[in-house]
Amino acid sequence: MEKPSKIAPAKGKVGILLPGMGAVSTTFMAGVELVRKGKSQPVGSLTQMGTIRLGKRTDARSPLIKKFVPLAELSDLTFGGWDIFKDNAYQSAANAGVLNPQDLEKVKPFLSTIKPMKAAFDHDFVKLIDGPNIKKGKNKYELALQIKEDIANFRKTSRASRLVTCWCGSTESFVKPEEAHSTPEKFVEAMQSNHPAIAPSMLYAWASVTSGVPFANGAPNLTVDIPAIQKLAHDHNVAICGKDFKTGQTLMKTILAPGFKARMLGLEGWFSTNILGNRDGEVLEDPGSFKTKEESKLSVLEYILQPQLYPQLYGKMCHKVRINYYPPRGDNKEGWDNIDIFGWLGYPMQIKVDFLCRDSILAAPIVLDLVLFLDLAQRAGMRGIQEWLSFYFKSPMTAPGLYPEHDLFIQSMKLKNTLRWMKGEDLITHLGQEYYD
């Protein structure tokens, strides 16, 4: 990828389009508005609160990231989206039960104006929920064209200079790449013939990319992980990234596992179970949807620990993941981890983690960072897969033939070095020898 010679300024409004206006989307929109009104702080957002070191440690240059690179201002963000339910964003947020009534009341007038467009929905991909706000068409291609029309109308009515789409919808049933996903031409033919491997999320990705709109995939769905969409992203000079927001249990794995490997501590087994009661938990009761999520969550340890390189430490590890729908918990997910490690001379030890997290509270700042960074990438002329945004995903996209980096600290370094590279600053290696010469 060529280094940007110039980054276009962040002038005008940025329209954020959200397929799926449930707990994550409404928590994100409400949070942005609360921050804009000075009623809260954007905790968890690297773009809003993070700094970046420039030059030597002795230079004492650590500006805020949002002052270093030209990101869109929160005041310039405007929102739209699609959902299978007709509830406006305020009603949806109230139903989700993530934010307390006092916070919701502060943004009720704002959220009440955001009404979902009719969604492209296929019951074969999300079996355990249904809704009335659904598009109709003779085939999937017609539905994709309707989404393109929605995008064009939103651009016009919102008067946005630029758009970004971020999938915040449900986890779809597991599908593998097929011939239908191989080229843009075959993908269109597959949409026209209602091919069973064309998921609704792919229709949004196709419509966005062919409209020149960057796309982030927040679920473990295949969506943009197919050659057809990746080729279109290159052809249309569009930035894409994914997949599956890294929030609770997997976030902890990408923090802990690199530490075990760095200290050459062995891992005999890692058992993870989750209880959650939101719509995501309900959807994941379906074995097809769970399979998609399981694939995303299981891949993390194998890539970080590299058992093929360290067979004595990780060659026989047992890794299991369970997700249980438990309505009383709502959006407040609980993740239990039992970790069996071993140390010097093979002596066993155990670590127990009980993370009582708030799924949408962790996901909302990820959505904010992704849309702002994708907009930046787009203005810098960076097209195709944005691997530097792996920091935010359970299953980061990579170029064909590359294994993904899952180590959170490598991902953080990659992200910040990309920002330095974009602005012509020296990359930070942490070698440190220059201080002792």
Side-chain angles (χ1 to χ4, degrees):
M1 186 180 291
E2 288 186 15
K3 184 175 175 181
S5 56
K6 186 179 180 183
I7 303 173
K11 288 183 179 176
K13 286 186 179 180
V14 182
I16 311 303
L17 285 164
L18 304 163
M21 281 176 46
V24 172
S25 290
T26 56
T27 303
F28 159 61
M29 292 186 284
V32 169
E33 182 66 1
L34 285 166
V35 173
R36 291 195 293 208
K37 291 166 73 75
K39 304 289 186 185
S40 197
Q41 294 293 321
V43 177
S45 169
L46 193 65
T47 60
Q48 302 306 299
M49 304 193 84
T51 62
I52 182 166
R53 186 191 126 196
L54 305 176
K56 293 183 177 182
R57 279 180 277 169
T58 49
D59 292 344
R61 295 169 62 212
S62 293
L64 286 167
I65 287 171
K66 66 180 180 180
K67 301 293 184 186
F68 175 59
V69 289
L71 298 177
E73 298 286 345
L74 296 191
S75 57
D76 288 331
L77 303 187
T78 185
F79 307 95
W82 300 264
D83 203 89
I84 64 172
F85 298 104
K86 294 180 179 180
D87 295 342
N88 64 42
Y90 171 76
Q91 293 166 325
S92 179
N95 290 336
V98 178
L99 301 176
N100 64 48
Q102 294 88 339
D103 281 333
L104 270 184
E105 200 60 33
K106 296 171 189 172
V107 292
K108 181 177 180 178
F110 165 73
L111 291 178
S112 298
T113 64
I114 303 170
K115 297 172 183 174
M117 296 174 274
K118 286 185 177 180
F121 183 73
D122 186 337
H123 214 268
D124 288 340
F125 282 90
V126 181
K127 292 185 170 63
L128 297 185
I129 60 171
D130 214 337
N133 201 39
I134 294 171
K135 293 184 183 299
K136 302 213 180 311
K138 64 183 180 182
N139 56 40
K140 294 177 181 182
Y141 182 61
E142 196 171 285
L143 296 177
L145 291 178
Q146 289 178 33
I147 296 170
K148 279 197 76 159
E149 192 175 338
D150 289 342
I151 291 170
N153 288 338
F154 179 78
R155 191 192 297 269
K156 185 177 179 181
T157 56
S158 67
R159 297 181 180 176
S161 304
R162 308 178 306 285
L163 302 178
V164 180
T165 303
C166 185
W167 176 270
C168 294
S170 296
T171 298
E172 296 170 330
S173 289
F174 183 71
V175 290
K176 291 182 177 179
E178 296 191 19
E179 189 67 19
H181 305 133
S182 61
T183 68
E185 295 76 21
K186 288 181 179 177
F187 188 82
V188 169
E189 290 171 10
M191 287 193 290
Q192 290 170 335
S193 64
N194 280 329
H195 195 290
I198 305 298
S201 63
M202 294 177 185
L203 306 183
Y204 288 94
W206 180 87
S208 296
V209 169
T210 57
S211 299
V213 178
F215 189 97
N217 178 22
N221 314 328
L222 199 57
T223 314
V224 287
D225 257 3
I226 54 176
I229 299 295
Q230 291 172 17
K231 175 71 164 60
L232 286 169
H234 269 267
D235 292 347
H236 290 268
N237 295 310
V238 171
I240 56 173
C241 64
K243 62 187 180 183
D244 203 5
F245 299 140
K246 180 157 57 182
T247 50
Q249 197 167 59
T250 308
L251 174 63
M252 298 306 294
K253 284 181 180 174
T254 62
I255 292 169
L256 291 172
F260 300 152
K261 182 175 151 189
R263 291 292 298 268
M264 290 288 103
L265 294 171
L267 179 68
E268 190 173 1
W270 196 314
F271 182 86
S272 301
T273 191
N274 300 265
I275 56 173
L276 71 162
N278 58 12
R279 194 185 298 172
D280 193 30
E282 185 177 4
V283 167
L284 292 173
E285 281 282 275
D286 171 57
S289 292
F290 173 71
K291 173 69 172 170
T292 308
K293 177 66 79 171
E294 183 183 38
E295 291 281 318
S296 173
K297 290 170 80 72
L298 280 174
S299 63
V300 172
L301 290 185
E302 283 71 12
Y303 280 114
I304 291 176
L305 297 175
Q306 298 174 294
Q308 73 281 8
L309 296 181
Y310 305 100
Q312 295 159 299
L313 297 176
Y314 311 117
K316 295 181 180 179
M317 68 176 173
C318 177
H319 183 200
K320 292 189 178 295
V321 174
R322 298 287 181 266
I323 299 174
N324 302 284
Y325 179 49
Y326 181 59
R329 265 309 141 87
D331 197 67
N332 295 342
K333 182 170 73 175
E334 184 165 359
W336 299 324
D337 287 274
N338 174 78
I339 311 163
D340 288 288
I341 65 173
F342 58 91
W344 184 247
L345 308 179
Y347 277 69
M349 295 174 277
Q350 282 191 2
I351 297 171
K352 311 282 190 186
V353 179
D354 187 6
F355 188 14
L356 287 83
C357 71
R358 296 173 181 264
D359 222 26
S360 298
I361 293 296
L362 291 167
I366 291 178
V367 178
L368 175 59
D369 285 359
L370 285 173
V371 298
L372 292 181
F373 278 142
L374 273 183
D375 177 55
L376 172 70
Q378 191 73 14
R379 285 183 283 111
M382 297 165 67
R383 63 183 180 177
I385 296 168
Q386 304 299 304
E387 196 191 343
W388 61 286
L389 297 177
S390 297
F391 181 73
Y392 297 104
F393 296 110
K394 289 188 183 79
S395 298
M397 293 174 69
T398 64
L402 280 185
Y403 69 84
E405 288 289 3
H406 280 279
D407 182 319
L408 187 75
F409 307 99
I410 293 175
Q411 292 174 334
S412 174
M413 177 62 67
K414 190 177 189 69
L415 188 155
K416 290 190 175 183
N417 266 341
T418 302
L419 297 178
R420 295 180 184 107
W421 171 79
M422 289 170 72
K423 292 286 287 180
E425 289 280 346
D426 291 339
L427 305 189
I428 303 295
T429 65
H430 294 289
L431 181 64
Q433 286 301 315
E434 66 271 23
Y435 303 110
Y436 300 96
D437 291 339

